[in-house]
Amino acid sequence: MENKIKTITEKILLFFAFSMIGWTWEVLYHLAEDHVFVNRGFLYGPWLPIYGTGGVLILIYLKRYLDRPVLLFFMIMGVCGVVEYVTGWFLETVFHEKWWDYSEYIFQIKGRVCLIGLLVFGLGGLILLYGIAPWMERKIQQMKSHTRNILCMALLLIFIMDVLYSLRHPNQGEGITRPVLMAMKVGFQ
């Protein structure tokens, strides 16, 4: 039972780490692109669970293909494409709002996924599997069990509160569900 709990807490901590890395990536990308800080995503906390979900699914289901990087790249694209498409569909269906829209890109599906994004996810997934995840797994395994459990409980509690609040008051607005206003960008040019 102890090993099962240890494995679950590792996956939870990896989920949050990947979610926070994804949030940081998107915030920095849009800061560079739009010259404005925007708290990206549906939630208010510094996490994008779509990245955490994709990362953990890749670790669970695709890690066994590490000796076949080309196949792995395309499998990562598939997993991430499904996660992104389903998440986009869910948000649009429930909230009648788009948190991202790739409609103007070539090779896209209903604006929810696009080839260039999937290529980036494929590359990012390889970096995750060959570099980031092994290092993070070692660091998490070095943590005392008690510390790991408390950290998991605290993160889950804050995350659940964020989800419950966001279900009634989703994070929306300029740079999130609408393009950044040009007036906001002028001051940074």
Side-chain angles (χ1 to χ4, degrees):
M1 183 67 164
E2 175 64 30
N3 280 343
K4 198 167 204 112
I5 290 172
K6 181 179 174 187
T7 302
I8 291 168
T9 58
E10 285 176 12
K11 296 298 184 269
I12 290 170
L13 291 176
L14 288 169
F15 167 82
F16 282 109
F18 301 153
S19 296
M20 290 176 185
I21 289 169
W23 180 86
T24 303
W25 161 258
E26 291 226 2
V27 166
L28 291 176
Y29 174 81
H30 286 280
L31 187 61
E33 180 79 14
D34 301 324
H35 309 291
V36 177
F37 173 84
V38 177
N39 181 17
R40 300 284 301 158
F42 169 78
L43 303 172
Y44 289 87
W47 38 50
L48 291 172
I50 193 169
Y51 285 88
T53 301
V56 170
L57 288 174
I58 288 168
L59 280 178
I60 291 171
Y61 295 109
L62 303 182
K63 196 173 183 178
R64 65 181 142 217
Y65 299 102
L66 284 172
D67 61 334
R68 301 177 70 193
V70 174
L71 174 64
L72 189 56
F73 175 79
F74 289 106
M75 293 172 79
I76 291 167
M77 285 177 56
V79 168
C80 292
V82 169
V83 170
E84 187 172 36
Y85 187 91
V86 169
T87 302
W89 170 84
F90 174 80
L91 291 171
E92 291 170 35
T93 302
V94 173
F95 298 101
H96 310 288
E97 192 82 64
K98 283 185 172 238
W99 270 260
W100 62 88
D101 187 1
Y102 303 122
S103 297
E104 295 180 13
Y105 289 77
I106 60 170
F107 306 116
Q108 53 83 24
I109 303 172
K110 296 190 177 187
R112 295 181 187 130
V113 294
C114 69
L115 180 59
I116 190 72
L118 294 177
L119 291 170
V120 170
F121 283 135
L123 180 61
L126 291 177
I127 293 168
L128 176 101
L129 278 173
Y130 290 107
I132 297 170
W135 179 80
M136 288 183 139
E137 286 172 329
R138 281 193 304 278
K139 292 297 179 188
I140 291 169
Q141 289 166 359
Q142 290 171 355
M143 293 172 74
K144 292 182 179 178
S145 178
H146 181 70
T147 304
R148 192 171 47 243
N149 292 341
I150 289 173
L151 185 56
C152 276
M153 299 279 252
L155 286 168
L156 283 170
L157 179 64
I158 295 166
F159 182 75
I160 289 168
M161 289 172 25
D162 191 356
V163 169
L164 292 175
Y165 181 79
S166 298
L167 286 171
R168 294 194 43 88
H169 311 281
N171 187 23
Q172 298 174 309
E174 273 65 57
I176 304 165
T177 54
R178 291 184 292 283
V180 173
L181 296 174
M182 289 307 288
M184 292 173 73
K185 294 170 87 170
V186 171
F188 291 93
Q189 294 180 351

